[in-house]
Amino acid sequence: MNSQPDLSVDIGGIRLRNPVMTASGTFGYAREFETYVNLNRLGGIIVKGLSLAPSMGNRPPRIVETACGMLNAIGLENVGIETFIAEKLPFLQKLSTPIFVNIYGKTVEEYAALAERVEAIDAVAGIEVNISCPNVKAGGVAFGVDPDAAGRVVGTVRKKISKPLIVKLSPNVTDITAIARRAEAEGADTLSLINTITGMAIDVVRRRPVLANITGGLSGPAIKPVALRMVWQVCRAVEVPVIGIGGITTARDALEFIIAGASAVQVGTANFVNPGVTMDILTGISDYLEENGITRLTDLIGSLEVGLDR
Ligand SMILES: Cc1cc2nc3c(=O)[nH]c(=O)nc-3n(C[C@H](O)[C@H](O)[C@H](O)COP(=O)(O)O)c2cc1C
């Protein structure tokens, strides 16, 4: 008898061998991590957010460490979709792990053009749409904070692609379930959350912001409780699978998200602290299942008990 637990999960039409994925922007284009991680053991890889044209991102300083986390204002620096296809994809397509391309645009039309381009790439398993970036036509307000704007992006991308569509939600909203429901209604197969929480840091000697961009996105263990709460809320509000993201550093962190209802998790900032952390998380999840006599990970998803009988 095979005593290894079955770690496979379904995220909106794609079966992953296990629930441990890497979060966009924290794992480069995967090759950077090949000496630390057996890339073929990962559940899925999400590459750095891509735009139509290459982007230099924001001016430095654009990263600062904070208590239990970091603030980044990278500004979505990336090589652009065509260079990605020419230079990064040949390595990625040799892997057996599903590759997801994360995209962002400043207009709905840019999202549509990117989605069409990615749809044509056989080696890409699915698309993750980052709706946390500024909508230039709406004066820089992020698409992801307005249900109508989010709905327009998701609906437009949905019409362009038949590949699985993951929509990545911003936490910088009052009610994340409103955006989640709209994304689902417009055809998202899966929701991933959360992106970074807007924050800032001040240099008191210079009395200036530490980041050239003034504000940045907070990530790492500091945001985990907020992310977990939002994942739990969204899992109760929608039918589609949810991927939990935010401060996941250990197997226990990942298990919290899964018990709250997430079908998979993405590991972000923790990769910077320990580039092999995804492998540790994977082993820890498997050990937990064995120790608790759980043969299939899917039995653990959403198993949170919220009754008063504690
Ligand atoms: C340096 C850095 C770059 C990031 N770049 C992207 C990106 O290009 N696209 C995206 O959707 N999210 C991006 N993120 C957000 C992460 O994918 C993730 O949602 C967030 O950091 C929360 O997870 P964590 O606490 O595990 O890092 C970035 C985060 C960091 C720290």
Side-chain angles (χ1 to χ4, degrees):
M1 203 183 88
N2 183 3
S3 63
Q4 289 280 314
D6 176 4
L7 296 182
S8 65
V9 291
D10 195 304
I11 53 153
I14 298 189
R15 194 101 196 135
L16 305 182
R17 62 167 76 91
N18 67 64
V20 181
M21 310 172 79
T22 56
S24 180
T26 64
F27 206 68
Y29 301 98
R31 190 168 204 163
E32 298 87 333
F33 283 78
E34 77 174 320
T35 50
Y36 307 101
V37 172
N38 179 349
L39 298 172
N40 286 320
R41 274 189 71 207
L42 288 168
I45 294 170
I46 317 252
V47 298
K48 171 70 190 164
L50 292 166
S51 49
L52 277 179
S55 168
M56 296 284 288
N58 292 325
R59 290 187 292 126
R62 46 190 202 171
I63 282 189
V64 55
E65 192 165 343
T66 60
C68 293
M70 64 181 271
L71 279 169
N72 94 82
I74 302 292
L76 296 165
E77 175 183 348
N78 78 98
V79 297
I81 186 70
E82 297 308 327
T83 303
F84 168 77
I85 293 168
E87 293 177 12
K88 310 293 181 186
L89 197 61
F91 172 81
L92 290 168
Q93 66 189 12
K94 284 194 243 133
L95 303 175
S96 61
T97 301
I99 305 299
F100 298 82
V101 167
N102 176 289
I103 61 167
Y104 78 92
K106 293 202 170 72
T107 60
V108 175
E109 295 75 23
E110 266 182 56
Y111 277 104
L114 269 164
E116 226 168 358
R117 193 74 184 92
V118 179
E119 173 72 2
I121 310 171
D122 284 343
V124 171
I127 298 181
E128 182 179 64
V129 176
N130 175 9
I131 52 174
S132 306
C133 44
N135 174 356
V136 288
K137 287 196 181 159
V141 178
F143 286 102
V145 301
D146 169 37
D148 290 336
R152 271 198 301 284
V153 172
V154 178
T156 305
V157 170
R158 175 76 286 170
K159 287 192 195 79
K160 299 284 178 193
I161 67 165
S162 58
K163 286 188 196 293
L165 169 55
I166 305 171
V167 176
K168 182 164 179 180
L169 305 182
S170 167
N172 302 312
V173 293
T174 309
D175 177 10
I176 197 165
T177 64
I179 314 272
R181 282 199 209 91
R182 186 64 73 89
E184 181 184 45
E186 293 292 341
D189 295 307
T190 311
L191 302 177
S192 60
L193 61 140
I194 58 176
N195 211 314
T196 54
I197 300 175
T198 307
M200 69 186 284
I202 292 175
D203 176 340
V204 295
V205 176
R206 294 166 58 241
R207 297 192 201 173
R208 295 186 66 87
V210 177
L211 297 171
N213 190 55
I214 306 175
T215 61
L218 183 65
S219 64
I223 71 169
K224 196 193 82 181
V226 178
L228 190 60
R229 183 262 297 175
M230 289 188 164
V231 164
W232 177 68
Q233 286 179 321
V234 168
C235 287
R236 285 157 30 118
V238 299
E239 301 286 324
V240 293
V242 168
I243 303 173
I245 321 167
I248 296 172
T249 307
T250 64
R252 291 213 160 245
D253 295 335
L255 288 162
E256 285 189 55
F257 280 85
I258 291 164
I259 292 168
S263 298
V265 294
Q266 292 179 18
V267 180
T269 300
N271 292 304
F272 299 142
V273 182
N274 169 10
V277 71
T278 44
M279 299 292 101
D280 299 344
I281 291 174
L282 190 50
T283 306
I285 292 174
S286 185
D287 289 349
Y288 173 90
L289 294 183
E290 277 189 55
E291 282 158 24
N292 289 277
I294 303 168
T295 51
R296 287 178 318 190
L297 180 76
T298 47
D299 293 339
L300 197 64
I301 297 171
S303 60
L304 182 71
E305 307 258 359
V306 287
L308 296 174
D309 55 331
R310 349 183 68 209

